[in-house]
Amino acid sequence: MAKASWDKEARQGLTLISPPFIYALLVLAAPILTILTYSFLTDGYLTVVRDFTWDNYIYAWTDPIVRMVMLRSLAVSALVTLVTVALAFPVAYYVSFMVRPERKSMWLFLITIPFWTSYLIRVFLWKVILGYNGVINSSLTGLGIIDEPLTFILYNVNSIVLTLAHAYAPFAILPIFIALEKIDRSLLEAGRDLGESKAMTFWRVTLPLAMPGVIAATMIVFIPTIGDYVTPELIGGGKIPMIANLIQVQMLALDDRPKGSALAVSAMLIVAVVCLIFLFLNRRFLKVRQ
Amino acid sequence: MSDNRYDRLEAAKPMIECREVHKYYGDYHALRGIDLTIRAGEFFSLLGPSGCGKTTLLRTIAGFEDIDSGVVLIDGKHMEDVPANKRPTNMVFQSYAIFPHLTVAENVAFGLRRDPRTKAEKAQLVEEALAMVGLKGYGARAAHALSGGQRQRVALARALILKPKVLLLDEPLSALDRKMREQMQVELIKLQRQVGITFVLVTHDQEEALVMSDRIAVMFEGQIAQLDGPEALYARPATRRVANFIGVMNFLPANVVSETDGVVTVEVPGLGMVELPEKQISRANPDDDGPTIGFRPETMTIVPANQTHTQPRETNATIDEVVYYGDMTYYDLRLEGAEGPNGQKARPVRISMRNVFGRDVPEVGTRVRVAWSPGSLVLFR
């Protein structure tokens, strides 16, 4: 009896999840498997030869340019993540703790407004703001503060970090906001009641309890920024390529799909390992059940 | 609860003093001139229905609410500019507020951060505090692995380890089931006697307040309606509203016949002429319903047909309803002589009697004799 009804439930469940499951298989698993396969094959001229080889991985892990670009990607992503999360926390804190409850959804709505335009357009807009004849330079020149347009504000790492931090801000604000919202406010009163100042209560109670949100925000920002391809191209002016640009060059410009695939798989592995180490270091915050 | 304790508390110095405390939330007047002295070592309760301001008053004492006017003193010191973390009070929150990211021992040790003692000494203190609340050996447990009763004990240990002058308890038992609640009531009383700290309890449960407190302040709409010991509060409520909030009380309309030397003679339909001395008269009666006689259900008993009663007065009545509770039975009675002027049926009064083995519970419709004593009546006028 019980088994039969479970079977029925299981069938219903399978029916429900099968469309998204098939979809996920097609758009996620299949491409990844293709890339994985390519990465072990040999590049022929304008074609892929079906000969197994490790050469692509030897290239990906020994070539000095690849290593330099990979390290730069990690550094830029880490910097972007740091800046984004550090700026997102006060915003999330403000909305969660200072904004009146009935106004919170309006604030969240305002925070997501940048998403109304496409990512590409937002990146272009930053170019307009930071460019040689851009908003900042023409204003400063017009005001007579500078004689020559500033050149250090575009086509460098700073401008990439600025653009990416802006683009990913809502992704960081929302998980931190949710973690802060879950904190029972009487815990903060308990911290005060037990003799701690507001600052110490934040340090000993609020921050540890908000850590799951901070960790989520970190991952959500770090993982996509390391693979970002548009911003280094447009804002970096193509002079400071990141790993995604290198993959693009291999895949499309040089038409060396096996090397490009090996780079992509290696980048995925590195990101996965970095994330796992990060999660491991923060495991005590993730075990907390509220 | 000995006379000894009562005398000692009577002579104790004031620990908390509230003078003309007013608190507004926008237009809402939450505390309307609270005047109150809580003595050192007392188990004091703030009792009232939800929204009466009792929790606001507790949070005011704790320092979580600013007051709009008035004075709060703790141990003789003005608290106006003293923030919550600098007050000699600690609180057991209604939700217990156990830190979910810390173990039981870390929770209990939370307030010891700036204590100059060594780590080993602090660990010893934590062990002692946990043993005191019956949680010996629970130190390493995660907070989420605790039951409601255990959480409450952790909250108690965490507050008491700091040796506060006042322990504030915000409806600490309301989340527990009945058995656990009754057990914790006894444990809290014992604990309070043991540590000697002033306890201030907020509760909406009149029974809980009566069981645990040395004195109780009954609050309605931001004001203290009556402040008294449990017996006085129960036997001689100041107003009908207090009487209704604390237990059950029957009310009968009364006509004042004469008044000499403080003794009031009233005529009560169903009970006859009664003389009431000063101590049985509550003069503060804002209910404005005219003079009313009140009595508790257990002060009137049905006399078995073949027995003579021991109480001085006797009345005839008809049983209207019988509600059997196992150890007790409630009877709704219509007193003879209490009928309305146009022959309407008398409004039933409720009495309660302990069930005795071998004695039959009378049936509905039976005419019975009931005995009562004028000494158990209260006149509200």
Side-chain angles (χ1 to χ4, degrees):
Chain A
M1 233 345 237
K3 193 170 183 292
S5 67
W6 186 86
D7 280 347
K8 192 180 163 218
E9 259 181 52
R11 268 202 308 281
Q12 276 179 345
L14 283 175
T15 317
L16 268 175
I17 63 157
S18 53
F21 185 68
I22 291 165
Y23 183 74
L25 225 54
L26 284 174
V27 303
L28 285 172
I32 287 177
L33 284 175
T34 312
I35 295 288
L36 202 61
T37 315
Y38 270 152
S39 70
F40 289 105
L41 299 180
T42 309
D43 180 47
Y45 184 66
L46 292 180
T47 171
V48 175
V49 183
R50 294 189 181 189
D51 286 337
F52 179 86
T53 176
W54 289 102
D55 285 354
N56 305 316
Y57 282 100
I58 290 167
Y59 158 77
W61 289 87
T62 58
D63 188 274
I65 293 173
V66 174
R67 185 177 307 152
M68 197 260 285
V69 172
M70 190 66 226
L71 287 175
R72 176 197 288 147
S73 297
L74 283 169
V76 168
S77 288
L79 196 58
V80 170
T81 308
L82 194 73
V83 169
T84 312
V85 173
L87 293 177
F89 196 97
V91 177
Y93 187 89
Y94 179 81
V95 179
S96 180
F97 283 83
M98 314 285 181
V99 172
R100 292 220 307 267
E102 64 270 21
R103 297 241 174 108
K104 281 183 183 174
S105 47
M106 187 194 74
W107 272 81
L108 293 180
F109 175 73
L110 291 177
I111 285 166
T112 54
I113 275 188
F115 283 103
W116 290 13
T117 51
S118 94
Y119 177 51
L120 204 59
I121 290 171
R122 271 177 288 150
V123 173
F124 265 118
L125 286 173
W126 274 108
K127 207 172 171 177
V128 170
I129 294 169
L130 301 171
Y132 189 81
N133 294 316
V135 176
I136 291 181
N137 275 327
S138 46
S139 317
L140 290 177
T141 332
L143 289 168
I145 295 168
I146 50 169
D147 300 327
E148 288 283 300
L150 302 170
T151 49
F152 66 86
I153 55 174
L154 191 60
Y155 302 136
N156 59 23
V157 171
N158 297 337
S159 51
I160 295 179
V161 171
L162 182 67
T163 309
L164 287 174
H166 171 254
Y168 284 94
F171 291 113
I173 293 170
L174 293 178
I176 298 172
F177 170 77
I178 289 164
L180 290 171
E181 281 289 283
K182 275 207 297 194
I183 297 174
D184 177 358
R185 298 306 193 252
S186 69
L187 293 175
L188 310 182
E189 286 187 341
R192 301 269 290 139
D193 188 66
L194 294 166
E196 292 295 14
S197 62
K198 280 183 178 159
M200 277 310 290
T201 302
F202 174 83
W203 179 249
R204 295 186 71 191
V205 183
T206 315
L207 192 58
L209 291 173
M211 275 311 281
V214 173
I215 292 163
T218 305
M219 309 262 283
I220 288 173
V221 177
F222 181 76
I223 294 171
T225 48
I226 206 165
D228 194 90
Y229 147 79
V230 176
T231 303
E233 187 68 32
L234 294 175
I235 299 289
K239 291 173 198 157
I240 16 182
M242 300 211 336
I243 193 69
N245 306 90
L246 214 57
I247 295 168
Q248 184 258 346
V249 168
Q250 287 290 351
M251 284 280 200
L252 302 176
L254 302 177
D255 196 42
D256 189 342
R257 284 188 214 166
K259 275 212 182 71
S261 300
L263 283 178
V265 172
S266 303
M268 266 198 299
L269 275 178
I270 289 168
V271 171
V273 168
V274 169
C275 287
L276 286 176
I277 291 170
F278 181 72
L279 285 178
F280 180 77
L281 291 176
N282 287 295
R283 64 195 180 284
R284 73 191 172 97
F285 297 115
L286 298 170
K287 273 190 283 190
V288 174
R289 268 194 266 159
Q290 286 190 53
Chain B
M1 292 273 198
S2 62
D3 290 329
N4 197 351
R5 177 177 169 82
Y6 182 79
D7 292 342
R8 208 172 58 240
L9 287 174
E10 189 88 307
K13 61 170 180 163
M15 179 53 81
I16 297 171
E17 290 164 90
C18 297
R19 297 284 162 260
E20 273 301 305
V21 171
H22 286 269
K23 165 84 188 167
Y24 290 85
Y25 291 110
D27 289 338
Y28 181 65
H29 201 167
L31 296 177
R32 307 181 179 199
I34 299 290
D35 262 302
L36 170 73
T37 303
I38 300 174
R39 302 185 193 114
E42 204 169 19
F43 199 131
F44 193 92
S45 289
L46 298 169
L47 172 67
S50 57
C52 73
K54 57 191 191 300
T55 297
T56 306
L57 182 56
L58 193 80
R59 292 171 55 81
T60 299
I61 296 168
F64 294 129
E65 306 282 351
D66 294 326
I67 53 176
D68 292 292
S69 67
V71 179
V72 176
L73 294 108
I74 301 178
D75 203 19
K77 291 191 190 69
H78 273 261
M79 287 292 128
E80 193 176 348
D81 296 317
V82 183
N85 53 327
K86 303 267 192 238
R87 294 197 180 190
T89 58
N90 282 115
M91 187 141 158
V92 173
F93 291 83
Q94 187 168 15
S95 61
Y96 311 141
I98 303 299
F99 301 117
H101 58 301
L102 302 178
T103 64
V104 168
E106 286 167 339
N107 261 286
V108 175
F110 190 92
L112 295 176
R113 183 177 64 87
R114 278 172 307 169
D115 190 297
R117 274 172 281 210
T118 65
K119 255 194 167 157
E121 283 170 330
K122 286 184 191 176
Q124 179 65 28
L125 277 181
V126 170
E127 254 324 290
E128 283 167 19
L130 284 174
M132 182 171 67
V133 296
L135 285 181
K136 209 175 161 69
Y138 278 69
R141 291 251 185 130
H144 63 75
L146 299 175
S147 69
Q150 289 168 337
R151 281 163 176 269
Q152 164 158 65
R153 286 157 199 264
V154 174
L156 271 170
R158 184 175 72 179
L160 288 174
I161 199 170
L162 303 175
K163 306 240 167 7
K165 286 179 177 157
V166 181
L167 184 74
L168 306 169
L169 302 115
D170 185 7
E171 306 234 7
L173 307 177
S174 59
L176 303 178
D177 64 59
R178 193 190 163 91
K179 268 246 163 68
M180 193 70 204
R181 194 159 62 226
E182 283 170 1
Q183 189 191 332
M184 281 309 293
Q185 285 176 0
V186 176
E187 283 190 35
L188 273 177
I189 296 169
K190 279 189 188 158
L191 200 61
Q192 200 268 338
R193 303 290 186 271
Q194 186 190 331
V195 295
I197 291 169
T198 310
F199 276 32
V200 182
L201 173 86
V202 157
T203 181
H204 64 263
D205 183 339
Q206 44 97 11
E207 202 180 322
E208 190 170 297
L210 291 178
V211 168
M212 298 169 81
S213 323
D214 293 309
R215 287 193 306 153
I216 300 164
V218 182
M219 291 180 69
F220 296 119
E221 277 117 34
Q223 287 176 313
I224 294 176
Q226 188 173 4
L227 200 167
D228 250 319
E231 293 92 348
L233 207 57
Y234 187 78
R236 227 197 101 182
T239 66
R240 284 180 58 174
R241 193 157 179 208
V242 172
N244 260 331
F245 192 72
I246 297 183
V248 178
M249 194 174 240
N250 293 296
F251 298 105
L252 296 169
N255 304 314
V256 176
V257 176
S258 67
E259 186 170 359
T260 42
D261 301 332
V263 178
V264 177
T265 308
V266 291
E267 200 239 323
V268 186
L271 297 181
M273 296 292 244
V274 194
E275 281 185 3
L276 295 167
E278 184 68 36
K279 69 176 172 65
Q280 278 172 256
I281 299 165
S282 288
R283 287 184 188 277
N285 185 21
D287 304 300
D288 209 24
D289 246 357
T292 308
I293 281 288
F295 65 94
R296 297 287 184 190
E298 66 279 3
T299 59
M300 188 177 269
T301 50
I302 296 171
V303 186
N306 53 357
Q307 271 180 31
T308 50
H309 54 85
T310 52
Q311 294 201 77
R313 299 284 288 266
E314 195 182 296
T315 307
N316 288 324
T318 312
I319 297 177
D320 200 49
E321 190 71 74
V322 177
V323 186
Y324 181 73
Y325 269 88
D327 59 336
M328 305 279 292
T329 305
Y330 283 91
Y331 303 92
D332 286 346
L333 305 174
R334 293 187 195 279
L335 299 177
E336 284 179 17
E339 295 84 1
N342 305 319
Q344 301 105 320
K345 276 186 167 179
R347 277 229 331 262
V349 294
R350 170 156 284 198
I351 70 163
S352 69
M353 281 175 73
R354 187 151 287 284
N355 291 327
V356 178
F357 178 73
R359 190 173 71 193
D360 290 335
V361 172
E363 282 172 32
V364 173
T366 318
R367 189 158 177 265
V368 291
R369 287 186 294 149
V370 290
W372 52 280
S373 159
S376 61
L377 303 184
V378 183
L379 173 65
F380 299 96
R381 60 183 299 213

Short mmCIF file of all heavy atoms in Angstrom, two decimals, chain A residues 129-169:
data_model
loop_
_atom_site.label_atom_id
_atom_site.label_comp_id
_atom_site.label_asym_id
_atom_site.label_seq_id
_atom_site.Cartn_x
_atom_site.Cartn_y
_atom_site.Cartn_z
N ILE A 129 30.97 57.28 -19.63
CA ILE A 129 31.27 58.07 -18.43
C ILE A 129 32.78 58.26 -18.27
O ILE A 129 33.27 59.35 -17.97
CB ILE A 129 30.68 57.39 -17.17
CG1 ILE A 129 29.14 57.41 -17.25
CG2 ILE A 129 31.14 58.08 -15.90
CD1 ILE A 129 28.46 56.54 -16.22
N LEU A 130 33.54 57.17 -18.48
CA LEU A 130 34.96 57.20 -18.15
C LEU A 130 35.87 57.59 -19.32
O LEU A 130 37.06 57.82 -19.12
CB LEU A 130 35.40 55.82 -17.63
CG LEU A 130 34.69 55.27 -16.39
CD1 LEU A 130 35.07 53.83 -16.15
CD2 LEU A 130 35.02 56.12 -15.16
N GLY A 131 35.32 57.65 -20.56
CA GLY A 131 36.16 57.79 -21.75
C GLY A 131 36.95 59.09 -21.85
O GLY A 131 36.78 60.02 -21.04
N TYR A 132 37.81 59.16 -22.89
CA TYR A 132 38.69 60.30 -23.11
C TYR A 132 37.87 61.58 -23.25
O TYR A 132 38.19 62.62 -22.69
CB TYR A 132 39.52 60.06 -24.38
CG TYR A 132 40.61 61.07 -24.60
CD1 TYR A 132 41.83 60.95 -23.91
CD2 TYR A 132 40.44 62.13 -25.48
CE1 TYR A 132 42.83 61.87 -24.10
CE2 TYR A 132 41.45 63.06 -25.67
CZ TYR A 132 42.64 62.93 -24.99
OH TYR A 132 43.63 63.84 -25.18
N ASN A 133 36.77 61.50 -24.01
CA ASN A 133 35.86 62.64 -24.12
C ASN A 133 34.57 62.38 -23.33
O ASN A 133 33.51 62.86 -23.67
CB ASN A 133 35.51 62.91 -25.59
CG ASN A 133 36.72 63.36 -26.36
OD1 ASN A 133 37.47 64.20 -25.87
ND2 ASN A 133 36.93 62.79 -27.54
N GLY A 134 34.71 61.58 -22.30
CA GLY A 134 33.54 61.14 -21.55
C GLY A 134 33.03 62.16 -20.55
O GLY A 134 33.53 63.28 -20.47
N VAL A 135 32.01 61.76 -19.81
CA VAL A 135 31.32 62.66 -18.89
C VAL A 135 32.28 63.24 -17.86
O VAL A 135 32.32 64.46 -17.65
CB VAL A 135 30.17 61.91 -18.18
CG1 VAL A 135 29.50 62.82 -17.16
CG2 VAL A 135 29.16 61.40 -19.19
N ILE A 136 33.07 62.37 -17.25
CA ILE A 136 33.96 62.84 -16.18
C ILE A 136 35.00 63.81 -16.73
O ILE A 136 35.17 64.92 -16.21
CB ILE A 136 34.65 61.64 -15.50
CG1 ILE A 136 33.61 60.85 -14.70
CG2 ILE A 136 35.78 62.11 -14.58
CD1 ILE A 136 34.15 59.68 -13.96
N ASN A 137 35.65 63.40 -17.80
CA ASN A 137 36.70 64.24 -18.35
C ASN A 137 36.18 65.57 -18.85
O ASN A 137 36.75 66.63 -18.55
CB ASN A 137 37.43 63.51 -19.48
CG ASN A 137 38.53 62.62 -18.92
OD1 ASN A 137 39.14 62.96 -17.90
ND2 ASN A 137 38.75 61.49 -19.55
N SER A 138 35.05 65.57 -19.58
CA SER A 138 34.56 66.85 -20.11
C SER A 138 34.08 67.74 -18.97
O SER A 138 34.27 68.96 -19.03
CB SER A 138 33.47 66.62 -21.16
OG SER A 138 32.56 65.67 -20.71
N SER A 139 33.48 67.16 -17.92
CA SER A 139 33.06 67.99 -16.79
C SER A 139 34.26 68.63 -16.13
O SER A 139 34.28 69.83 -15.87
CB SER A 139 32.32 67.16 -15.73
OG SER A 139 31.43 66.29 -16.32
N LEU A 140 35.27 67.79 -15.85
CA LEU A 140 36.45 68.31 -15.15
C LEU A 140 37.18 69.34 -15.99
O LEU A 140 37.63 70.37 -15.47
CB LEU A 140 37.39 67.16 -14.77
CG LEU A 140 36.86 66.22 -13.67
CD1 LEU A 140 37.84 65.08 -13.43
CD2 LEU A 140 36.61 66.97 -12.37
N THR A 141 37.27 69.09 -17.29
CA THR A 141 37.92 70.06 -18.17
C THR A 141 37.10 71.34 -18.21
O THR A 141 37.62 72.45 -18.12
CB THR A 141 38.07 69.51 -19.60
OG1 THR A 141 38.17 68.10 -19.53
CG2 THR A 141 39.31 70.05 -20.28
N GLY A 142 35.77 71.17 -18.35
CA GLY A 142 34.87 72.32 -18.42
C GLY A 142 34.96 73.17 -17.17
O GLY A 142 34.92 74.40 -17.25
N LEU A 143 35.10 72.54 -16.02
CA LEU A 143 35.20 73.27 -14.76
C LEU A 143 36.59 73.84 -14.56
O LEU A 143 36.83 74.56 -13.60
CB LEU A 143 34.85 72.36 -13.59
CG LEU A 143 33.37 71.96 -13.47
CD1 LEU A 143 33.19 70.84 -12.47
CD2 LEU A 143 32.52 73.17 -13.07
N GLY A 144 37.51 73.50 -15.44
CA GLY A 144 38.86 74.03 -15.34
C GLY A 144 39.69 73.35 -14.27
O GLY A 144 40.73 73.88 -13.86
N ILE A 145 39.24 72.20 -13.80
CA ILE A 145 40.01 71.51 -12.77
C ILE A 145 41.23 70.82 -13.39
O ILE A 145 42.29 70.78 -12.79
CB ILE A 145 39.11 70.52 -12.00
CG1 ILE A 145 38.03 71.31 -11.24
CG2 ILE A 145 39.92 69.65 -11.04
CD1 ILE A 145 36.91 70.50 -10.70
N ILE A 146 41.03 70.29 -14.59
CA ILE A 146 42.17 69.68 -15.29
C ILE A 146 42.31 70.30 -16.68
O ILE A 146 41.32 70.77 -17.25
CB ILE A 146 42.00 68.14 -15.41
CG1 ILE A 146 40.62 67.80 -15.98
CG2 ILE A 146 42.21 67.46 -14.07
CD1 ILE A 146 40.45 66.36 -16.39
N ASP A 147 43.52 70.28 -17.21
CA ASP A 147 43.76 70.83 -18.54
C ASP A 147 43.62 69.76 -19.61
O ASP A 147 43.03 69.98 -20.65
CB ASP A 147 45.16 71.46 -18.62
CG ASP A 147 45.30 72.58 -17.61
OD1 ASP A 147 44.27 73.27 -17.36
OD2 ASP A 147 46.41 72.77 -17.08
N GLU A 148 44.20 68.60 -19.30
CA GLU A 148 44.18 67.48 -20.24
C GLU A 148 43.22 66.42 -19.73
O GLU A 148 43.13 66.20 -18.52
CB GLU A 148 45.59 66.86 -20.32
CG GLU A 148 46.59 67.72 -21.05
CD GLU A 148 46.38 67.63 -22.54
OE1 GLU A 148 46.48 66.51 -23.07
OE2 GLU A 148 46.09 68.67 -23.16
N PRO A 149 42.48 65.74 -20.61
CA PRO A 149 41.63 64.65 -20.13
C PRO A 149 42.45 63.58 -19.41
O PRO A 149 43.59 63.31 -19.79
CB PRO A 149 41.02 64.08 -21.41
CG PRO A 149 41.14 65.18 -22.41
CD PRO A 149 42.38 65.94 -22.05
N LEU A 150 41.87 63.03 -18.34
CA LEU A 150 42.55 61.97 -17.60
C LEU A 150 42.54 60.70 -18.44
O LEU A 150 41.52 60.34 -19.02
CB LEU A 150 41.84 61.71 -16.27
CG LEU A 150 41.70 62.91 -15.33
CD1 LEU A 150 40.77 62.55 -14.17
CD2 LEU A 150 43.06 63.33 -14.81
N THR A 151 43.65 60.03 -18.49
CA THR A 151 43.71 58.80 -19.28
C THR A 151 43.72 57.56 -18.39
O THR A 151 43.52 56.46 -18.88
CB THR A 151 44.96 58.78 -20.17
OG1 THR A 151 46.08 59.10 -19.36
CG2 THR A 151 44.84 59.77 -21.30
N PHE A 152 43.95 57.77 -17.08
CA PHE A 152 44.09 56.58 -16.22
C PHE A 152 42.74 56.02 -15.75
O PHE A 152 42.69 55.10 -14.98
CB PHE A 152 44.97 56.89 -15.00
CG PHE A 152 44.36 57.90 -14.05
CD1 PHE A 152 43.49 57.51 -13.05
CD2 PHE A 152 44.69 59.24 -14.17
CE1 PHE A 152 42.94 58.44 -12.19
CE2 PHE A 152 44.15 60.16 -13.30
CZ PHE A 152 43.26 59.77 -12.32
N ILE A 153 41.62 56.65 -16.20
CA ILE A 153 40.34 56.16 -15.70
C ILE A 153 39.69 55.18 -16.65
O ILE A 153 38.70 54.57 -16.32
CB ILE A 153 39.37 57.32 -15.36
CG1 ILE A 153 39.18 58.24 -16.56
CG2 ILE A 153 39.86 58.07 -14.15
CD1 ILE A 153 38.13 59.30 -16.32
N LEU A 154 40.22 55.00 -17.84
CA LEU A 154 39.64 54.00 -18.74
C LEU A 154 40.77 53.12 -19.27
O LEU A 154 41.94 53.50 -19.23
CB LEU A 154 38.92 54.69 -19.90
CG LEU A 154 38.05 53.77 -20.78
CD1 LEU A 154 36.95 53.11 -19.98
CD2 LEU A 154 37.45 54.56 -21.94
N TYR A 155 40.40 51.98 -19.76
CA TYR A 155 41.36 51.02 -20.33
C TYR A 155 42.39 50.55 -19.31
O TYR A 155 43.57 50.49 -19.59
CB TYR A 155 42.08 51.63 -21.55
CG TYR A 155 41.13 52.05 -22.64
CD1 TYR A 155 41.29 53.27 -23.30
CD2 TYR A 155 40.07 51.22 -23.00
CE1 TYR A 155 40.41 53.66 -24.29
CE2 TYR A 155 39.18 51.62 -23.99
CZ TYR A 155 39.35 52.84 -24.63
OH TYR A 155 38.48 53.21 -25.58
N ASN A 156 41.93 50.28 -18.08
CA ASN A 156 42.84 49.65 -17.11
C ASN A 156 42.05 48.80 -16.13
O ASN A 156 40.82 48.72 -16.21
CB ASN A 156 43.70 50.71 -16.40
CG ASN A 156 42.83 51.73 -15.67
OD1 ASN A 156 41.69 51.45 -15.33
ND2 ASN A 156 43.38 52.90 -15.45
N VAL A 157 42.77 48.18 -15.21
CA VAL A 157 42.13 47.26 -14.26
C VAL A 157 41.11 47.98 -13.38
O VAL A 157 40.01 47.48 -13.12
CB VAL A 157 43.20 46.54 -13.41
CG1 VAL A 157 42.55 45.75 -12.29
CG2 VAL A 157 44.02 45.61 -14.28
N ASN A 158 41.46 49.22 -12.97
CA ASN A 158 40.53 49.97 -12.11
C ASN A 158 39.16 50.12 -12.76
O ASN A 158 38.12 49.93 -12.11
CB ASN A 158 41.07 51.37 -11.82
CG ASN A 158 42.37 51.31 -11.06
OD1 ASN A 158 42.65 50.32 -10.39
ND2 ASN A 158 43.18 52.36 -11.19
N SER A 159 39.19 50.48 -14.04
CA SER A 159 37.91 50.70 -14.70
C SER A 159 37.14 49.38 -14.86
O SER A 159 35.92 49.35 -14.78
CB SER A 159 38.12 51.38 -16.05
OG SER A 159 39.08 50.68 -16.80
N ILE A 160 37.87 48.28 -15.08
CA ILE A 160 37.20 46.97 -15.15
C ILE A 160 36.54 46.65 -13.81
O ILE A 160 35.38 46.24 -13.75
CB ILE A 160 38.22 45.87 -15.53
CG1 ILE A 160 38.75 46.11 -16.95
CG2 ILE A 160 37.57 44.49 -15.43
CD1 ILE A 160 39.77 45.08 -17.40
N VAL A 161 37.29 46.88 -12.74
CA VAL A 161 36.75 46.59 -11.40
C VAL A 161 35.52 47.44 -11.13
O VAL A 161 34.48 46.95 -10.67
CB VAL A 161 37.83 46.83 -10.31
CG1 VAL A 161 37.22 46.75 -8.92
CG2 VAL A 161 38.95 45.82 -10.46
N LEU A 162 35.62 48.72 -11.47
CA LEU A 162 34.49 49.63 -11.23
C LEU A 162 33.24 49.16 -11.98
O LEU A 162 32.15 49.06 -11.41
CB LEU A 162 34.89 51.04 -11.69
CG LEU A 162 33.86 52.14 -11.47
CD1 LEU A 162 33.68 52.39 -9.98
CD2 LEU A 162 34.28 53.43 -12.17
N THR A 163 33.42 48.84 -13.26
CA THR A 163 32.27 48.43 -14.08
C THR A 163 31.66 47.13 -13.58
O THR A 163 30.44 47.03 -13.43
CB THR A 163 32.73 48.25 -15.54
OG1 THR A 163 33.44 49.42 -15.94
CG2 THR A 163 31.55 48.02 -16.45
N LEU A 164 32.51 46.16 -13.29
CA LEU A 164 31.98 44.87 -12.83
C LEU A 164 31.32 44.99 -11.46
O LEU A 164 30.27 44.40 -11.20
CB LEU A 164 33.09 43.82 -12.80
CG LEU A 164 33.57 43.32 -14.16
CD1 LEU A 164 34.76 42.40 -14.00
CD2 LEU A 164 32.44 42.58 -14.87
N ALA A 165 31.94 45.78 -10.57
CA ALA A 165 31.37 45.94 -9.23
C ALA A 165 29.97 46.56 -9.33
O ALA A 165 29.05 46.16 -8.62
CB ALA A 165 32.27 46.82 -8.37
N HIS A 166 29.81 47.51 -10.24
CA HIS A 166 28.50 48.11 -10.42
C HIS A 166 27.51 47.11 -10.99
O HIS A 166 26.37 46.98 -10.54
CB HIS A 166 28.60 49.33 -11.34
CG HIS A 166 27.27 49.87 -11.73
ND1 HIS A 166 26.75 49.71 -13.00
CD2 HIS A 166 26.34 50.53 -11.01
CE1 HIS A 166 25.55 50.26 -13.04
NE2 HIS A 166 25.28 50.78 -11.86
N ALA A 167 27.97 46.33 -11.98
CA ALA A 167 27.07 45.40 -12.64
C ALA A 167 26.59 44.30 -11.68
O ALA A 167 25.45 43.85 -11.79
CB ALA A 167 27.77 44.77 -13.84
N TYR A 168 27.45 43.88 -10.77
CA TYR A 168 27.08 42.75 -9.91
C TYR A 168 26.56 43.17 -8.53
O TYR A 168 26.26 42.31 -7.70
CB TYR A 168 28.27 41.81 -9.77
CG TYR A 168 28.45 40.97 -11.02
CD1 TYR A 168 29.31 41.36 -12.03
CD2 TYR A 168 27.70 39.81 -11.18
CE1 TYR A 168 29.43 40.61 -13.19
CE2 TYR A 168 27.82 39.05 -12.33
CZ TYR A 168 28.69 39.46 -13.32
OH TYR A 168 28.79 38.71 -14.46
N ALA A 169 26.46 44.48 -8.29
CA ALA A 169 26.04 44.94 -6.97
C ALA A 169 24.72 44.30 -6.50
O ALA A 169 24.66 43.79 -5.39
CB ALA A 169 25.96 46.46 -6.96
#
